[in-house]
């Protein structure tokens, strides 16, 4: 299995940002990932 580019804590931080109302496309752009 391929190793993830992001650590678990980074993923949780990104998900928390989304819960706080940051739109998914903006998060993807900010972190350099595809939606």
């Amino acid at each position: 299995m391929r190793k993830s580019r992001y650590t678990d804590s980074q993923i949780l931080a990104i998900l928390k940002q989304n819960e706080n109302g940051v739109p998914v496309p903006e998060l993807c752009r900010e972190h350099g990932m595809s939606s």
Side-chain angles (χ1 to χ4, degrees), residues 1-19:
M1 193 166 81
R2 185 171 171 250
K3 183 149 170 49
S4 178
R5 181 178 188 173
Y6 301 96
T7 64
D8 289 344
S9 58
Q10 286 175 312
I11 293 169
L12 288 173
I14 293 168
L15 290 174
K16 280 189 199 308
Q17 281 182 299
N18 180 248
E19 287 176 358

